[in-house]
Amino acid sequence: MADNHRAMIATLPLTELLDSADIQLGFQAPSGTAAIPRLLQPALMRRVHDPSVVSEIIEAAVKREQETSTMCGAVSLPHARSSKIDGFILALGVNAEGTIAGHHDPRLIFAFASPEGKREQHLHLLASLARLSQNPKLLDQIAAATTSDQVIDALRSAGA
């Protein structure tokens, strides 16, 4: 792959990866690991269409989260890599009161799956999402959104 093409993929805006159908407002789960399948399964099923691959990716994300939490303040970033997908699959759970029952943070959970062969882009996406946790104004705007379009507009306005 040419370097300029690789750089272009690495800087793909979040709004290009996040479909409004994969944003769940008012989302809440009993735990961080319980949130992963609830967020990722619908997004994966819309794109992968193979229940065994979907299960494999979800299990990998849950296992990874159990080993090391991906919570960055108001944002959590559970994720997995898979050789069985070609593109990035991103889902978002949002709740101003907290996405995990009984906890104020995280207010946003970005759950995603990355193609195994795109490690550099995977790390770039992780870094981009982690930077969101350092933007309280944007987090408040997303947490207060009442529609998926408002979430995408807030991300787009922030250049995310």
Side-chain angles (χ1 to χ4, degrees):
M1 180 182 310
D3 286 338
N4 62 346
H5 188 239
R6 182 177 288 124
M8 185 174 67
I9 292 171
T11 59
L12 191 63
L14 293 177
T15 54
E16 296 295 319
L17 298 176
L18 186 61
D19 188 286
S20 62
D22 298 320
I23 299 171
Q24 296 184 38
L25 301 173
F27 179 85
Q28 195 168 74
S31 68
T33 55
I36 295 168
R38 290 183 52 203
L39 286 170
L40 268 182
Q41 185 168 15
L44 288 165
M45 287 301 291
R46 272 193 286 285
R47 293 167 184 87
V48 176
H49 310 292
D50 181 339
S52 65
V53 171
V54 169
S55 293
E56 183 181 307
I57 293 170
I58 289 170
E59 287 173 23
V62 167
K63 181 180 179 190
R64 199 228 166 271
E65 189 68 20
Q66 288 170 333
E67 291 171 357
T68 306
S69 173
T70 59
M71 195 161 114
C72 298
V75 178
S76 184
L77 308 171
H79 58 278
R81 292 176 35 208
S82 173
S83 62
K84 297 179 181 170
I85 58 173
D86 295 330
F88 289 83
I89 299 170
L90 179 65
L92 172 61
V94 178
N95 191 327
E97 304 302 316
T99 55
I100 307 302
H103 300 278
H104 181 68
D105 283 329
R107 295 183 292 154
L108 279 60
I109 299 176
F110 286 95
F112 68 96
S114 304
E116 186 69 47
K118 296 187 178 178
R119 179 174 165 73
E120 183 178 327
Q121 294 88 345
H122 172 89
L123 294 173
H124 187 278
L125 177 57
L126 266 174
S128 296
L129 292 169
R131 277 193 298 278
L132 292 179
S133 69
Q134 299 169 359
N135 186 338
K137 182 180 175 187
L138 177 60
L139 294 177
D140 289 344
Q141 195 175 7
I142 293 171
T146 57
T147 68
S148 296
D149 288 339
Q150 288 175 345
V151 171
I152 290 174
D153 289 344
L155 288 166
R156 191 172 286 124
S157 294

